[in-house]
Amino acid sequence: MTRAYRAGDELPPLEIPVTRTLIVAGAIASRDYQDVHHDAEPAREKGSPDIFMNILTTNGLVGRYLTDHFGPTAVLRKVAIRLGAPNYPGDVLRLTGHITDVRAGEPAEAVVHVTGDNRIGRHVTGTVTIALPGPSPKRSGK
């Protein structure tokens, strides 16, 4: 059964503990070897109190937030995010979102406004267009 989505629908929040391991693993997975994402001493030398999360990890977490809500067959069509306050080890990233538009078509699409906050303030703001999962294919009687 397909769920009907409407503009104005709120997505439940998702809280993600920001660990040193998450920051380093995200940087490695996205091949971002900038020292500020894995080595605290150079990060401090460059003015940061500690290592911090890169934008590609944040992008992946936004994608996870949406596919957790819409299901594994939903497809991210367009992701446009902007970073604000850094995510440091020990933070909790709290993602929230609401649907701003639903577009008919095959497949239907939803436009979702997403924000993510931590103890410092707003870490990420963005808009994501997602192709909504359709009805499950019918199984043959064989």
Side-chain angles (χ1 to χ4, degrees):
M1 179 172 184
T2 303
R3 183 189 186 290
Y5 295 101
R6 294 186 309 259
D9 286 352
E10 297 284 330
L11 280 63
L14 174 64
E15 292 190 351
I16 301 168
V18 179
T19 64
R20 189 168 300 279
T21 300
L22 175 63
I23 293 169
V24 173
I28 291 169
S30 60
R31 297 183 179 189
D32 183 347
Y33 303 117
Q34 293 293 315
D35 54 10
V36 295
H37 302 307
H38 64 83
D39 193 333
E41 187 175 327
R44 282 191 289 275
E45 289 171 2
K46 294 175 180 165
S48 179
D50 205 339
I51 65 171
F52 55 91
M53 186 176 285
N54 71 357
I55 191 168
L56 295 172
T57 303
T58 300
N59 196 64
L61 294 173
V62 167
R64 170 193 164 191
Y65 174 56
L66 294 172
T67 57
D68 279 0
H69 179 74
F70 291 102
T73 60
V75 177
L76 304 177
R77 296 281 193 208
K78 180 180 178 184
V79 178
I81 62 171
R82 176 175 288 198
L83 292 185
N87 261 338
Y88 295 115
D91 283 339
V92 174
L93 175 61
R94 185 174 195 271
L95 293 167
T96 59
H98 66 274
I99 298 173
T100 59
D101 191 20
V102 177
R103 301 173 184 158
E106 201 47 56
E109 293 181 333
V111 179
V112 182
H113 179 74
V114 178
T115 57
D117 297 317
N118 61 31
R119 64 187 155 105
I120 301 170
R122 176 80 18 105
H123 171 68
V124 63
T125 304
T127 303
V128 179
T129 303
I130 188 163
L132 299 171
S136 299
K138 294 188 178 182
R139 297 176 69 181
S140 66
K142 294 182 183 179

